[in-house]
Amino acid sequence: MSSLFVIIFLGTLFYLALSVNVKNYINLIGIQGLLLFGIAIFELHELNVVHLILILAETLIFKGIIVPGLLYRISKRNKISVLKNNKTHRKAKGFNMVIITALVIGLSFVFSHNQQDAHLEIQYFTAAISAMIMGILFITVNKNIIIHLISFLVIENGIFLMAIAVGSNMPMLVNAAILLDIFSSVLVLTVFLNRIGQFFQDVETDQLTELKD
Amino acid sequence: MISLLLIFIGALIFPGLISITKAKLSGKKGPGIFQPYKDILRLLKKGSVYSSTTSFVFQVAPIIYMASVLGAILMIPFGNFKQGLISFEGDFLMFAYMLAFGKFLMIISALDTGSGFEGMGANREALYSMLVEPAFFIVLSSVVMLSGYTSFYEMFTHFHVENYVSWLYVAISVYLLIQITLIENSRLPVDDPKTHLELTMVHEVMVLDNSGFDLGLIQITGALKFAMFGALIGNLVIPPMHLGFELSALAFVVIQALFAITVGFMESFRARLKMIYNPQFILTLSGIALIAFFAVFFITKTI
Amino acid sequence: MDSFVPLWVLCISAILIFTVPNNFKHTISLALVAITIAFTSYWAGLALFYGFELQGLSPFSMISGDSPIVVDKLSAFFILVVNFTVLTGLLYAKGYLKSYLKTKNKHLMSIHYFSYVWLYFSMLLVTMVRGGLDFLIVWELMTISSFLLVIFDSEKEDILKTGINYLIQMHVGFLFLLVGFLFTGEFSGTISFDSMGVAFSSNELFEVFGSHGNFWLFLIFFIGFGIKAGFIPLHAWLPHAHPAAPSHVSGVMSGVMIKMGIYGILRVLTHLQSDWMEVGVFILIISILSGLYGVMMAIVQHDLKKLLAYHSIENIGIIGIGIGLGLIGIATENHPLAVLGFGGGILHILNHSLFKSLLFYGAGSVYKSTHTRELNSLGGLIKSMPKTAIFFLLGALAICGLPPFNGFVSEFLIYSGLFKSLSSANLNMSLMFLGGITSLALIGGLAIFCFTKAFGVVFLGSARCEFPIKPVEADGSMLFSKLLVAVVIVMIGVLPNLFLQPISEVVGMFVTSGGDVFAKTMHTTSQVGIISGIFILVIVVLYFMRKKQQSTVAVEYGPTWGCGYTGADPAVHQYTATSYADNYKQLTKPVVGSETEYKSFSEEEIFAPARSFVSHSHDKIEDNIINKGIAWILKTMERFAVLHTGKVQHYLIYPLVFILTLFLLTLLNII
């Protein structure tokens, strides 16, 4: 059953690579959160109750509901619906993105299969590596600050899967730290954009760099 | 033989069902189910006008196009009950290349007219069918992986669906096959058969100069092609349901009808993609097919 | 030595070509070639069908010691392929060279025919001789005679340049072969193919090259032979030499000469002792890349013959995919894969020699009647040259691997091997096989894209420019040779089993226990024949149905539909080769390196002057490896040019310095 979620998770990565619509990105992040919730239910049932509830709450409530909700608010208030000026999605670039995504997923599949570790759950490992690489890739090819945020969330999802892949849950403290990081970044950005969003037509990092002068 | 018959039945109801669905969804009364065939029949009786720029290529292309699709249909089996008229190891390769042959002729026949529009359509058709080829082959490879056999009949006979992942796999494959069918038949996300602007057409603009009998043949071939892919989808879905012979035959037709209605629905609620997004859309199918291929590893527990 | 005497006599009597007048040169070369074909085909038949291997001693034995000549099954197969293409090439040459008889003097024609005949002899000898030194000699003869053929039109400056480029690259390959053979001699004692088995298993090999010694020694040979065959990134000579040569020579070079590289690789492979897997995977990956790169570059070409030349790279890739799979099959003891891989690869050698020569002959006919190879100025030739057009179409369908023609059969074998082993292999192998399947499918799709473009633009539509002399149908002799090739193409497509039997004998040299696999495959391929028959039947039935229908109704002819406006010249509105490839170019820009030169309109220009639009593409591999390498060498050499002062006094100082250095060094006991 859980490989079902992994396969869909890989599918969301493809969608992420191709989408130009901010709403889609946010929905996909939400879906990923729900998928992780599903995976957590099926994989972590040996855990003690408190931990389990915490993790389930993290995936379902935080990843699946709160973060997408916040992002929705940001995009709505700042009227960002479609990525403008996005070079990655113009003409042939989107075409290349498909090839790159397929390569990333394929290679991480081969890579994780060739790991000689009996404890490793290969399917999660594949998804984890591809999610992390794709997240980094999105950040490098995109300028939009919201996409950066979403990419961080994808990377975080990758880390979560990685923890499951190596056969144990993450130490509570690390988990909390990462959560806090991401959460604060979302919060900071929300506040930031709410305050200054109206002065920018588009939230591109280039424009934000000019701010410091 | 039975599959041939079922595909013909499918082809008979296919175009009518699509147009009825579309009409109902847009609040119109809609034509009768056989209206498309009445039109084709009228075409078959008409005289023809040939462009004086064209050569024999233009004249033989529709015939070869139809023959290639008929030849390909011969290889399609009927679920796990009956193999196609001709069945051998690797027949699906013959199937794919046979269709490519017909397409090759249609493309050069469009170029034969020396019209800029038709050249454009031919070019797009060539590009899209080239891009969709890998997706089709990856889907086939995954079915071969899963069943361990290399002919249509054996592939579908030894295709077992056991757990959730297998069903997900079937769902992905069916989705892919539907999309491949739509692209191969130049339907909506890639090409809009109802568009009136030549610059946005793909398949329609290629046959602008065909008339009379030839045009009739091309339209029949289009319907046959649809039903043929519908039969492939049926073959993928029916054997795991373990129905009897008669029920399977019924399910076959029902799936064809459902497929037609799905196409009608999709065409009613979906806009055509921008031309520049088409290659990326088609290539994404290969990517998804790759995921389906990985899913087979999860199913067979090779990893 | 005795049984090969006729061959030596024929080789020497090639000098006769110099003695006869211009008009008889073709006849006498044809006679020579025909007699040789009779002899060699007999020998080949003996080996292939009766298993009798003719043996003798090479004439070079006096210098290189006793070195044998053997016609075994592998040689026999290549001899037959060479024989057929050389014959059709020579038949074609009669018509093609007719117009040159007036402009070229007697000696040039003699040299041309002489080198053609000698190219033939040297290719035969390449497949027969076994001694390393002999092999290198005939290999060199082959290079030189083909060089002389390439520079036939040497009045044009760039052709001579291309020829020299070719010669140099071939000698780089020669160098690698020499190194390879010297290693063989070092490890086994004698420099020959037969001792290669000893070399591949000798201890010295593993001491020098490490545990994967077989792979590294093979790699040296692969580079040497690969330059001839045109695997990427060793292909840089190919897209230049083929367009420069006259068309019958291009046909022979692309059809069979580059296959000598494949022959060499296969011959070395028969002696390989271990590392099957590494070598197989290596060849498979290089071949997949060659196949994809070749066809991707082919699409953006404007020059018809250059386009075909890039397709040679693609087809070498397909052959290589077959061979690589065969090796993987041997390594994993997967007999079906081994048999089908080698079988498909070897059959594709024959197939490619057929359709590629046919296409080059077609391109030659087009060039001869229009004097251009530029796709964008051709068009509508099907009306003036219908027969040439049909043969070109046949070749195009065959090269795209469409049934019922020969290309399909070999690709079918390779595909079958891949699909059959898909489920039994481990994950890495499965993914590699999937890569093979996907790239074969993609190569097929791209080839269709390319040849719809080539055929459509050259032969269909209306003419794109006026030619001073109206294009006419090609000469009878040219059409006859095309007909010969076309018949074999269709025969292989419809009756593949006739040809699979001898192929299975050749495959038997690599895979010993694969007989039943072939029997099974032949059953399958006979089904392919049946369905092709049904296909043709349906076409005929539909054709007559339409004929009957059209006899009762009016059939009219009019202009092409022009969107309501028919005033303009239809030729101007047609799709050109450039526009056909445009959307493809946008997608593959990183690979094909296409560039456009166009200045867009600015706001100030109210009355804009005429604009020009130029687009071209670079072979990035050639740019980065060959051109940059040459530039580097030139730059380095320039530093030494300081010494080249032009004064005799300075030149005399150099030997003096040299002698003094030697003296000093001996004094200090360093040398």
Side-chain angles (χ1 to χ4, degrees):
Chain A
M1 189 71 192
S2 47
S3 28
L4 196 91
F5 295 127
V6 173
I7 292 166
I8 301 175
F9 186 88
L10 291 176
T12 58
L13 288 181
F14 256 109
Y15 207 151
L16 271 174
L18 292 174
S19 193
V20 283
N21 200 333
V22 172
K23 213 166 124 192
N24 278 346
Y25 280 111
I26 299 166
N27 283 340
L28 285 170
I29 283 297
I31 291 171
Q32 284 196 350
L34 296 181
L35 288 172
L36 293 186
F37 171 68
I39 290 172
I41 286 184
F42 278 94
E43 282 298 315
L44 302 177
H45 44 76
E46 301 130 18
L47 241 57
N48 68 44
V49 185
V50 184
H51 270 204
L52 187 62
I53 290 175
L54 264 173
I55 287 179
L56 293 186
E58 176 205 340
T59 47
L60 180 66
I61 298 171
F62 180 73
K63 289 187 176 166
I65 298 167
I66 297 182
V67 170
L70 273 175
L71 288 172
Y72 255 125
R73 268 178 67 97
I74 301 180
S75 66
K76 221 174 187 179
R77 277 187 82 143
N78 292 287
K79 298 190 183 66
I80 314 159
S81 58
V82 175
L83 302 182
K84 285 177 215 151
N85 254 340
N86 194 332
K87 288 223 174 68
T88 44
H89 293 290
R90 257 201 240 139
K91 283 202 178 173
K93 294 284 168 53
F95 184 82
N96 297 341
M97 210 53 197
V98 183
I99 298 175
I100 292 169
T101 316
L103 273 181
V104 165
I105 293 179
L107 288 179
S108 42
F109 191 70
V110 176
F111 175 72
S112 31
H113 176 255
N114 291 341
Q115 295 302 308
Q116 310 288 343
D117 192 339
H119 298 293
L120 204 63
E121 289 277 349
I122 289 162
Q123 32 180 328
Y124 301 130
F125 199 64
T126 309
I129 295 182
S130 4
M132 289 195 284
I133 296 177
M134 289 307 291
I136 295 168
L137 211 73
F138 287 148
I139 296 179
T140 46
V141 296
N142 277 297
K143 280 183 178 174
N144 194 304
I145 190 97
I146 296 209
I147 303 302
H148 284 199
L149 197 59
I150 284 166
S151 311
F152 280 126
L153 292 168
V154 173
I155 296 175
E156 211 270 341
N157 288 346
I159 295 170
F160 184 87
L161 279 171
M162 182 72 97
I164 294 179
V166 294
S168 63
N169 62 322
M170 236 186 281
M172 204 55 210
L173 201 64
V174 180
N175 199 357
I178 293 173
L179 258 179
L180 203 65
D181 262 9
I182 303 287
F183 197 64
S184 53
S185 63
V186 175
L187 267 181
V188 167
L189 197 75
T190 320
V191 175
F192 173 70
L193 283 178
N194 280 345
R195 294 283 170 208
I196 64 163
Q198 54 200 335
F199 299 108
F200 294 99
Q201 277 128 11
D202 220 345
V203 273
E204 300 238 325
T205 39
D206 285 358
Q207 293 171 342
L208 296 179
T209 326
E210 285 165 17
L211 256 186
K212 69 173 189 267
D213 302 329
Chain B
M1 205 62 202
I2 176 98
S3 58
L4 197 63
L5 207 68
L6 288 171
I7 288 172
F8 283 150
I9 295 173
L12 213 56
I13 57 173
F14 220 104
L17 263 181
I18 293 180
S19 51
I20 288 179
T21 315
K22 282 169 87 172
K24 291 269 185 254
L25 284 173
S26 52
K28 292 180 220 157
K29 188 157 162 268
I33 193 161
F34 294 117
Q35 186 57 41
Y37 277 93
K38 286 177 189 160
D39 294 343
I40 290 173
L41 211 63
R42 208 183 59 223
L43 276 175
L44 290 180
K45 286 178 191 157
K46 276 191 171 181
S48 311
V49 184
Y50 289 110
S51 159
S52 45
T53 323
T54 59
S55 62
F56 72 93
V57 171
F58 187 76
Q59 306 212 3
V60 297
I63 292 173
I64 295 182
Y65 182 47
M66 182 154 194
S68 72
V69 172
L70 283 176
I73 288 175
L74 292 184
M75 282 174 271
I76 292 188
F78 171 55
N80 46 356
F81 296 104
K82 203 120 180 95
Q83 54 187 34
L85 271 187
I86 290 172
S87 170
F88 52 92
E89 288 192 346
D91 51 3
F92 52 84
L93 294 168
M94 189 76 187
F95 173 84
Y97 274 76
M98 201 82 148
L99 292 179
F101 190 26
K103 198 167 274 169
F104 187 104
L105 262 288
M106 282 312 279
I107 291 168
I108 57 173
S109 94
L111 288 171
D112 197 11
T113 59
S115 142
F117 294 125
E118 291 180 45
M120 191 173 62
N123 165 31
R124 287 173 185 164
E125 175 100 355
L127 185 73
Y128 299 157
S129 47
M130 167 198 106
L131 288 172
V132 81
E133 206 108 303
F136 187 60
F137 273 86
I138 297 175
V139 172
L140 283 177
S141 315
S142 62
V143 181
V144 170
M145 270 290 281
L146 207 53
S147 63
Y149 288 88
T150 55
S151 80
F152 266 140
Y153 175 64
E154 287 171 316
M155 267 154 68
F156 294 130
T157 312
H158 295 91
F159 182 76
H160 296 300
V161 174
E162 288 140 6
N163 47 16
Y164 299 106
V165 191
S166 326
W167 278 113
L168 178 74
Y169 167 77
V170 172
I172 297 180
S173 308
V174 169
Y175 169 78
L176 285 170
L177 279 177
I178 290 178
Q179 296 294 355
I180 290 169
T181 315
L182 292 178
I183 294 163
E184 289 273 340
N185 286 289
S186 313
R187 301 301 287 216
L188 240 179
V190 168
D191 178 22
D192 188 356
K194 286 278 170 280
T195 181
H196 293 287
L197 180 62
E198 288 83 354
L199 292 173
T200 61
M201 293 177 180
V202 181
H203 184 259
E204 300 305 306
V205 78
M206 278 173 68
V207 296
L208 272 182
D209 264 283
N210 290 85
S211 58
F213 195 81
D214 289 349
L215 190 59
L217 283 190
I218 291 170
Q219 292 190 352
I220 297 174
T221 313
L224 278 176
K225 224 169 155 184
F226 246 124
M228 180 178 76
F229 279 103
L232 272 189
I233 295 171
N235 275 325
L236 202 60
V237 180
I238 292 172
M241 295 200 289
H242 302 296
L243 301 170
F245 185 84
E246 291 81 11
L247 268 180
S248 289
L250 189 68
F252 222 76
V253 179
V254 169
I255 282 175
Q256 297 271 18
L258 274 180
F259 183 31
I261 294 170
T262 316
V263 172
F265 258 91
M266 279 164 99
E267 298 208 337
S268 303
F269 294 108
R270 197 171 184 179
R272 194 177 61 74
L273 287 173
K274 255 171 127 177
M275 275 296 170
I276 53 165
Y277 290 132
N278 278 342
Q280 146 187 354
F281 171 75
I282 299 169
L283 199 69
T284 312
L285 294 182
S286 303
I288 297 171
L290 202 63
I291 293 182
F293 190 79
F294 292 149
V296 174
F297 286 113
F298 294 147
I299 297 167
T300 54
K301 303 264 189 286
T302 12
I303 59 167
Chain C
M1 181 143 181
D2 35 349
S3 42
F4 287 98
V5 168
L7 191 61
W8 317 134
V9 175
L10 285 163
C11 285
I12 293 163
S13 46
I15 297 173
L16 279 177
I17 293 172
F18 283 96
T19 59
V20 295
N22 253 354
N23 293 342
F24 293 101
K25 287 192 199 304
H26 181 264
T27 324
I28 197 153
S29 350
L30 190 63
L32 279 172
V33 168
I35 298 169
T36 319
I37 285 176
F39 274 110
T40 49
S41 301
Y42 172 63
W43 298 338
L46 280 183
L48 213 50
F49 299 105
Y50 298 99
F52 172 74
E53 298 184 352
L54 201 65
Q55 304 206 347
L57 277 182
S58 109
F60 307 111
S61 293
M62 51 197 96
I63 40 173
S64 59
D66 282 358
S67 57
I69 298 189
V70 186
V71 183
D72 68 352
K73 284 171 180 164
L74 188 63
S75 324
F77 171 74
F78 276 92
I79 287 173
L80 289 177
V81 173
V82 168
N83 279 351
F84 187 74
T85 307
V86 166
L87 180 69
T88 56
L90 197 56
L91 284 173
Y92 179 82
K94 184 169 195 269
Y96 189 79
L97 292 177
K98 209 178 251 172
S99 56
Y100 287 100
L101 286 178
K102 294 169 209 136
T103 50
K104 299 269 173 188
N105 67 32
K106 197 181 153 193
H107 304 296
L108 285 175
M109 289 314 270
S110 302
I111 290 175
H112 183 74
Y113 278 119
F114 184 76
S115 17
Y116 189 86
V117 174
W118 262 92
L119 175 65
Y120 173 49
F121 288 138
S122 56
M123 284 194 290
L124 288 179
L125 286 173
V126 160
T127 62
M128 291 195 285
V129 297
R130 289 299 175 78
L133 192 62
D134 303 10
F135 182 82
L136 289 174
I137 292 172
V138 289
W139 187 261
E140 183 61 19
L141 276 175
M142 184 170 83
T143 302
I144 290 172
S145 50
S146 54
F147 165 71
L148 289 173
L149 289 170
V150 168
I151 59 165
F152 178 61
D153 253 345
S154 55
E155 295 94 87
K156 296 173 192 153
E157 192 192 345
D158 50 338
I159 284 188
L160 197 59
K161 206 174 155 193
T162 311
I164 289 170
N165 180 8
Y166 166 68
L167 200 63
I168 291 172
Q169 297 208 27
M170 283 304 109
H171 281 89
V172 175
F174 184 82
L175 188 70
F176 277 95
L177 290 185
L178 189 64
V179 171
F181 273 113
L182 286 178
F183 271 123
T184 317
E186 179 71 27
F187 298 144
S188 68
T190 43
I191 300 179
S192 83
F193 278 117
D194 294 327
S195 62
M196 228 172 240
V198 183
F200 272 121
S201 55
S202 67
N203 288 327
E204 288 100 323
L205 176 78
F206 296 107
E207 277 165 25
V208 176
F209 288 111
S211 59
H212 285 296
N214 273 350
F215 176 74
W216 295 112
L217 186 54
F218 172 79
L219 188 67
I220 293 174
F221 279 109
F222 181 82
I223 295 173
F225 288 123
I227 289 185
K228 192 62 123 187
F231 284 102
I232 65 157
L234 313 167
H235 68 280
W237 64 274
L238 217 145
H240 298 289
H242 283 340
S247 288
H248 57 286
V249 178
S250 321
V252 171
M253 275 173 68
S254 173
V256 288
M257 198 195 74
I258 60 171
K259 305 299 185 330
M260 292 301 125
I262 301 283
Y263 164 79
I265 291 170
L266 284 174
R267 178 63 79 192
V268 176
L269 285 178
T270 53
H271 299 292
L272 206 63
Q273 300 293 327
S274 59
D275 288 345
W276 301 101
M277 195 61 170
E278 285 79 3
V279 173
V281 171
F282 171 75
I283 294 184
L284 184 66
I285 290 173
I286 285 267
S287 306
I288 287 178
L289 292 177
S290 301
L292 284 173
Y293 187 76
V295 69
M296 284 174 90
M297 286 305 293
I299 293 177
V300 291
Q301 304 305 322
H302 301 270
D303 181 328
L304 185 55
K305 280 174 86 176
K306 204 167 179 182
L307 181 149
L308 293 177
Y310 271 109
H311 267 285
S312 296
I313 300 171
E314 176 224 321
N315 279 287
I316 287 291
I318 295 178
I319 295 168
I321 291 177
I323 295 172
L325 288 174
L327 286 172
I328 294 175
I330 291 177
T332 53
E333 292 187 354
N334 179 347
H335 290 302
L337 181 63
V339 170
L340 291 169
F342 274 118
I346 290 173
L347 182 60
H348 204 75
I349 293 173
L350 170 65
N351 288 343
H352 179 239
S353 80
L354 294 170
F355 49 62
K356 188 45 68 67
S357 53
L358 182 61
L359 287 167
F360 266 119
Y361 299 159
S365 302
V366 169
Y367 177 68
K368 209 170 137 49
S369 61
T370 60
H371 295 282
T372 179
R373 297 190 309 255
E374 171 67 38
L375 287 175
N376 287 337
S377 41
L378 293 166
L381 287 178
I382 197 167
K383 299 213 179 51
S384 43
M385 319 172 68
K387 287 171 191 149
T388 309
I390 292 177
F391 286 128
F392 195 91
L393 178 60
L394 191 80
L397 289 169
I399 201 174
C400 293
L402 298 172
F405 301 108
N406 61 355
F408 177 70
V409 180
S410 44
E411 283 188 29
F412 181 81
L413 292 184
I414 299 176
Y415 267 126
S416 305
L418 283 165
F419 274 110
K420 279 212 177 97
S421 355
L422 203 54
S423 50
S424 56
N426 66 13
L427 183 131
N428 288 349
M429 275 297 128
S430 288
L431 280 178
M432 195 168 287
F433 293 154
L434 182 76
I437 290 168
T438 319
S439 38
L440 268 180
L442 205 55
I443 288 171
L446 286 161
I448 289 175
F449 191 90
C450 188
F451 275 96
T452 48
K453 170 189 129 170
F455 182 76
V457 171
V458 174
F459 289 100
L460 302 177
S462 38
R464 285 182 179 76
C465 71
E466 289 280 318
F467 295 109
I469 309 162
K470 229 175 152 262
V472 284
E473 182 58 273
D475 203 81
S477 66
M478 291 157 92
L479 288 173
F480 177 67
S481 70
K482 284 183 208 163
L483 182 68
L484 276 183
V485 185
V487 166
V488 183
I489 285 181
V490 176
M491 254 169 75
I492 300 182
V494 181
L495 303 168
N497 287 355
L498 277 184
F499 295 84
L500 283 178
Q501 187 59 49
I503 300 279
S504 71
E505 296 289 324
V506 185
V507 173
M509 288 188 66
F510 299 92
V511 197
T512 39
S513 55
D516 53 327
V517 180
F518 242 101
K520 243 181 169 175
T521 313
M522 302 228 297
H523 172 69
T524 306
T525 43
S526 65
Q527 300 272 330
V528 172
I530 292 175
I531 198 154
S532 307
I534 296 178
F535 180 51
I536 293 166
L537 197 74
V538 175
I539 293 174
V540 173
V541 168
L542 281 172
Y543 183 78
F544 281 105
M545 269 171 71
R546 188 179 63 186
K547 209 165 181 191
K548 191 160 174 293
Q549 190 265 346
Q550 290 191 337
S551 63
T552 56
V553 293
V555 176
E556 294 164 43
Y557 288 85
T560 299
W561 190 79
C563 206
Y565 177 68
T566 48
D569 179 11
V572 178
H573 293 267
Q574 280 183 107
Y575 245 45
T576 59
T578 314
S579 46
Y580 197 84
D582 184 56
N583 52 10
Y584 163 82
K585 260 193 248 172
Q586 283 172 6
L587 298 179
T588 53
K589 213 171 176 184
V591 180
V592 299
S594 58
E595 281 171 16
T596 50
E597 282 170 24
Y598 173 69
K599 200 166 134 259
S600 60
F601 292 98
S602 63
E603 271 180 40
E604 296 86 58
E605 283 182 283
I606 300 166
F607 301 106
R611 282 289 196 280
S612 69
F613 177 86
V614 184
S615 75
H616 40 82
S617 62
H618 302 281
D619 190 330
K620 282 199 171 171
I621 294 182
E622 188 190 336
D623 281 356
N624 288 330
I625 295 182
I626 307 291
N627 294 353
K628 273 193 185 160
I630 289 174
W632 181 80
I633 291 174
L634 282 180
K635 217 170 146 193
T636 324
M637 288 302 164
E638 256 170 31
R639 300 214 177 113
F640 292 102
V642 189
L643 301 174
H644 193 73
T645 52
K647 285 183 185 149
V648 181
Q649 295 95 316
H650 291 177
Y651 291 157
L652 284 174
I653 291 177
Y654 302 150
L656 200 63
V657 170
F658 181 68
I659 291 167
L660 280 177
T661 332
L662 272 187
F663 179 69
L664 270 175
L665 287 175
T666 31
L667 214 63
L668 299 171
N669 267 339
I670 294 174
I671 53 171

